């Protein structure tokens, strides 16, 4: 069984984004970039499924040439080979989904596991779009994945609790935070990953038009909250709550 | 512009999340609703009374009973022949369904909008709410999810919508609903609560969480939330989680207890009207957004506070 895991290179989640002075976007020059945290969970899940019938894990990334570092990280975690689709221009989820569809058509994986959202654009779209384009089942926000023959049963985190669905394979899964704890790549595995195969492609190789449909007109800082006051003790806090009408 | 709004419901009543979407849709034009499910006459009747609603499309079929995206997306695509925009709340349902619809229509979705600037221009948060982007869509049809806390709720009475059955599109046959576990709570739902009391990792254990947070919430008639750290540590169930990856809330009063204020958490609550923070670390980032702060040991402060209210 083959699993495809798309991964994205994003601003490291510990770094506070700086907005460019001209309002054109977030400044990504000389800042730490990492694999999108949800994608690490997706890679980890694919690796864990290796005991359960998964024989090959292919990771793919779409973006600038430097995304190959992200792919090397996934290979060091335990993926078998990588596909890099180079586009120095930003590709939107719809374009990514179309490229992934083309790759799925070629590679014919039984399962595609993605992160539920990327922490830069916060879109939460790509997995669902890919499932729609392929006409296959989708299980979003997965917190548990169980493979059984030609189907997969997924527990999903939904508002108010959890929900379980069974999907026919091939299927698309997007993962939530609580699915697993991703492993760190060991030094020997990082060395080994350097010799694992990585194919270099471009959107044109797949005949996919990835021109953007959304124009970003400006990016600004959110409104700042005005500085608050510190109260000295509980009595003062209770008095404040009473003036606010929160408590009688 | 004719808009189609996804009605979020539990099979019996319309959920609050729908009302904010109606407000957003009314800023674009004529508002039509879609009620999809099984045995949803009561939901449709309630939906038709929402102020400002025109037509209510009702799709009643077993295939829609659990809002599986595989089955409802083709239904929405069929209705989009006659509508210019589809809007859904940015709930787990809305986030699950809308992108699939967008892909089937070959349209780029606009996620989690905060405002409608014009028919094709919207604002939305990126980077965990650390930046607000203004985006313009070049697509003919707009597929949008709406952040509920960013729009006023439409009135639930006064509307005179007409109810119309639509042709159903059946079961795509690739997915099956197995079951669900919905956490029971008598407290107000987080996303609609006026007051929220939220606990973090500093509470130390699930027992302490319930022992200290619950009575305070009950005194205030508040919903109970939690930081991701508290949820990951197992102190609270995961649907309590407030943050970028949990629920986005904007109550009148948000009380953050033992929460440091990581950006992940702030993204979920920093639009609250008043933020109150109780933390023993006076340098905790939460104090930079709190209107009222109290520095001290929560294990001493909380019982005293609950007692004095």
């Amino acid at each position: 069984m083959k699993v495809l895991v798309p991964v994205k290179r994003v601003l490291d989640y510990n770094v506070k984004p700086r907005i460019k002075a001209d309002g054109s976007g977030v400044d990504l020059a000389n800042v730490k970039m990492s694999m999108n945290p949800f994608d690490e969970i997706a890679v980890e899940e694919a690796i864990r499924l290796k005991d359960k019938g998964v024989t090959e894990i292919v990771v793919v990334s779409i973006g600038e040439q430097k995304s190959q570092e992200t792919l090397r990280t996934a290979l060091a975690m335990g993926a078998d080979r990588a596909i890099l689709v180079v586009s120095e221009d930003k590709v939107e989820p719809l374009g990514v989904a179309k490229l992934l569809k083309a790759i799925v058509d070629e590679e014919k994986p039984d399962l595609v596991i993605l992160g539920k959202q990327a922490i830069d654009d916060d879109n939460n779209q790509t997995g669902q779009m890919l499932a729609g384009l392929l006409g296959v089942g989708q299980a979003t926000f997965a917190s548990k994945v169980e493979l059984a023959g030609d189907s997969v049963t997924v527990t999903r985190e939904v508002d108010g609790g959890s929900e379980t669905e069974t999907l026919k394979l091939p299927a698309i899964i997007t993962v939530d935070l609580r699915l697993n704890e991703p492993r760190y790549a060991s030094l020997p595995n990082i060395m080994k990953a350097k010799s694992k195969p990585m194919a270099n492609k471009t959107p044109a190789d797949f005949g996919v038009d990835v021109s953007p449909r959304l124009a970003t007109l400006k990016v600004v800082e959110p409104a700042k909250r005005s500085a608050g006051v510190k109260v000295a003790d509980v009595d003062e806090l209770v008095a404040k709550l009473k003036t606010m009408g929160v408590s009688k | 512009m004719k808009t189609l709004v996804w009605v979020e419901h539990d099979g019996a009543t319309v959920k609050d999340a729908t009302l904010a979407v109606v407000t957003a849709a009314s800023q674009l034009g004529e508002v039509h609703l879609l009620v999809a499910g099984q045995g949803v006459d009561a939901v449709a009747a309630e939906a038709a009374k929402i102020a400002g609603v025109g037509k209510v499309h009702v799709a009643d079929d077993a295939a829609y009973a659990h809002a599986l995206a595989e089955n409802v997306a083709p239904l929405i695509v069929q209705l989009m022949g006659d509508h210019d925009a589809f809007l859904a709340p940015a709930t787990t349902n809305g986030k699950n369904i809308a992108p699939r619809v967008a892909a089937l229509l070959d349209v780029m979705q606009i996620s989690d909008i905060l405002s409608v600037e014009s028919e094709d221009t919207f604002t939305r948060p990126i980077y965990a709410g650390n930046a607000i982007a203004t985006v313009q869509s070049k697509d003919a049809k707009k597929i949008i999810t709406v952040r509920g806390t960013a729009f006023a709720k439409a009135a639930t009475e006064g509307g005179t919508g007409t109810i119309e059955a639509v042709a159903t599109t059946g079961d795509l046959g690739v997915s099956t609903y197995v079951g669900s576990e919905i956490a029971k709570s008598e407290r107000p739902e987080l996303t609609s609560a006026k007051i929220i009391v939220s606990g973090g990792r500093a509470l130390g254990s699930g027992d302490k969480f319930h022992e200290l947070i619950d009575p305070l919430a009950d005194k205030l008639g508040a919903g109970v939330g939690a930081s991701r750290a508290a949820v990951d540590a197992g102190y609270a169930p995961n649907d309590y989680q407030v943050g970028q990856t949990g629920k986005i809330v904007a109550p009148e009063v948000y009380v953050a207890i033992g929460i440091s204020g990581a950006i992940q958490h702030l993204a979920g609550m920093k639009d609250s009207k008043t933020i109150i923070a109780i933390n023993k670390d006076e340098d905790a980032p939460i104090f930079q957004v709190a209107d009222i702060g109290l520095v001290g040991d929560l294990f001493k402060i909380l019982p005293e506070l609950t007692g004095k209210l």
Side-chain angles (χ1 to χ4, degrees):
Chain A
M1 181 184 266
K2 192 194 275 189
V3 180
L4 186 77
V5 185
V7 295
K8 185 177 185 184
R9 181 175 187 264
V10 298
L11 178 67
D12 187 86
Y13 75 100
N14 281 315
V15 178
K16 190 171 161 49
R18 276 193 324 267
I19 292 161
K20 287 187 199 162
D22 64 358
S24 63
V26 166
D27 193 354
L28 296 178
N30 304 316
V31 289
K32 188 179 179 213
M33 304 290 278
S34 300
M35 191 190 301
N36 180 42
F38 292 101
D39 303 347
E40 287 185 344
I41 296 169
V43 173
E44 175 66 32
E45 193 62 19
I47 297 164
R48 292 189 187 189
L49 290 173
K50 268 202 160 174
D51 314 333
K52 309 208 173 92
V54 170
T55 48
E56 189 183 26
I57 300 167
V58 182
V59 286
V60 51
S61 195
I62 297 160
E64 52 183 342
Q65 188 69 40
K66 284 181 182 157
S67 300
Q68 62 173 295
E69 292 163 15
T70 310
L71 288 170
R72 288 285 171 214
T73 306
L75 293 171
M77 287 173 75
D80 298 296
R81 64 186 167 89
I83 301 169
L84 174 63
V85 183
V86 178
S87 166
E88 296 298 329
D89 299 321
K90 206 167 110 72
V91 184
E92 294 170 341
L94 183 65
V96 171
K98 287 179 180 178
L99 286 168
L100 291 176
K101 181 190 182 292
I103 293 170
V104 167
D105 288 343
E106 256 181 48
E107 295 278 341
K108 306 210 173 356
D110 302 279
L111 208 52
V112 183
I113 308 180
L114 306 90
K116 77 162 176 182
Q117 73 186 58
I119 60 164
D120 50 2
D121 291 334
D122 286 336
N123 273 317
N124 196 330
Q125 301 175 0
T126 307
Q128 296 91 313
M129 286 181 159
L130 175 62
L133 294 177
L134 291 166
V136 302
Q138 67 184 55
T140 47
F141 323 123
S143 58
K144 194 175 170 194
V145 174
E146 284 173 288
L147 275 173
D150 60 352
S151 71
V152 60
T153 298
V154 181
T155 303
R156 309 172 51 225
E157 291 189 10
V158 297
D159 295 330
S162 63
E163 185 176 296
T164 305
E165 281 171 30
T166 297
L167 306 178
K168 267 189 204 163
L169 297 180
I172 310 297
I173 294 173
T174 77
V175 306
D176 216 321
L177 277 173
R178 263 165 293 275
L179 180 62
N180 62 45
E181 190 85 36
R183 70 193 63 194
Y184 289 102
S186 66
L187 191 59
N189 285 342
I190 292 171
M191 298 312 290
K192 243 190 274 172
K194 290 189 174 158
S195 55
K196 287 185 180 175
M198 186 180 303
N200 264 274
K201 303 273 189 184
T202 66
D205 293 338
F206 298 100
V208 173
D209 174 16
V210 293
S211 49
R213 308 290 188 84
L214 297 181
T216 300
L217 304 184
K218 64 173 181 210
V219 175
V220 297
E221 298 252 6
K224 282 238 173 12
R225 293 187 71 99
S226 50
V229 293
K230 284 216 174 102
V231 293
D233 53 27
V234 171
D235 289 324
E236 216 182 308
L237 177 57
V238 171
K240 284 262 184 201
L241 289 172
K242 283 184 180 159
T243 20
M244 283 162 58
V246 172
S247 146
K248 275 154 248 149
Chain B
M1 231 179 154
K2 247 203 251 175
T3 69
L4 181 69
V5 169
W6 170 261
V7 174
E8 184 101 350
H9 62 85
D10 57 6
T13 56
V14 174
K15 289 208 169 185
D16 263 11
T18 313
L19 303 173
V21 186
V22 168
T23 303
S26 65
Q27 294 175 13
L28 287 169
E30 200 180 323
V31 182
H32 291 186
L33 302 186
L34 168 62
V35 177
Q38 192 178 21
V40 287
D41 289 352
V43 177
E46 198 186 329
K49 287 190 200 134
I50 299 172
V53 164
K55 216 176 273 178
V56 179
H57 299 278
V58 181
D60 203 319
D61 193 287
Y64 309 137
H66 302 288
L68 292 176
E70 297 85 349
N71 296 344
V72 296
L75 171 73
I76 296 161
V77 168
Q78 169 188 280
L79 285 164
M80 285 308 288
D82 207 25
H83 293 88
D84 307 299
F86 172 73
L87 292 90
T91 55
T92 44
N93 259 333
K95 289 176 185 172
N96 188 39
I97 295 165
R100 188 164 179 122
V101 174
L104 293 176
L105 291 169
D106 192 23
V107 165
M108 182 47 207
Q109 176 183 304
I110 307 135
S111 293
D112 220 8
I113 63 163
L114 300 171
S115 72
V116 174
E117 302 294 306
S118 74
E119 275 199 356
D120 63 2
T121 307
F122 309 87
T123 63
R124 57 176 306 265
I126 54 175
Y127 288 90
N130 281 297
I132 308 296
T134 304
V135 294
Q136 183 173 37
S137 164
K138 295 171 192 160
D139 287 313
K141 308 251 180 203
K142 313 284 183 271
I143 306 294
I144 296 165
T145 60
V146 177
R147 176 167 291 195
T149 58
F151 292 86
K153 292 187 174 76
T156 52
E157 292 292 334
T160 51
T162 52
I163 296 173
E164 200 174 283
V166 295
T168 53
T169 47
D171 194 328
L172 192 66
V174 293
S175 55
T176 324
Y177 170 85
V178 179
S180 61
E181 249 179 80
I182 301 301
K184 286 199 177 62
S185 173
E186 281 136 43
R187 297 201 177 83
E189 213 182 324
L190 263 189
T191 44
S192 56
K194 285 212 160 57
I195 305 174
I196 292 174
V197 177
S198 212
R201 185 163 46 192
L203 282 145
S205 73
D207 290 345
K208 282 285 171 203
F209 191 97
H210 292 295
E211 190 186 316
L212 295 172
I213 299 287
D214 292 2
L216 177 60
D218 291 340
K219 271 269 169 75
L220 296 170
V224 175
S227 69
R228 188 186 147 198
V231 170
D232 283 349
Y235 304 168
N238 58 34
D239 56 302
Y240 278 38
Q241 188 186 317
V242 172
Q244 183 190 17
T245 55
K247 293 201 169 75
I248 313 282
V249 299
E252 304 268 316
V253 181
Y254 187 90
V255 190
I257 298 167
I259 292 175
S260 64
I263 55 172
Q264 203 285 135
H265 188 74
L266 298 182
M269 46 64 83
K270 66 181 164 55
D271 294 325
S272 306
K273 200 170 265 172
T274 303
I275 297 172
I276 300 174
I278 300 174
N279 205 303
K280 70 173 180 204
D281 174 9
E282 62 179 313
D283 297 322
I286 190 78
F287 287 121
Q288 290 164 20
V289 299
D291 301 282
I292 305 172
L294 176 54
V295 179
D297 180 1
L298 65 92
F299 295 102
K300 287 204 190 98
I301 289 172
L302 286 193
E304 187 186 347
L305 176 60
T306 308
K308 283 180 175 166
L309 286 171

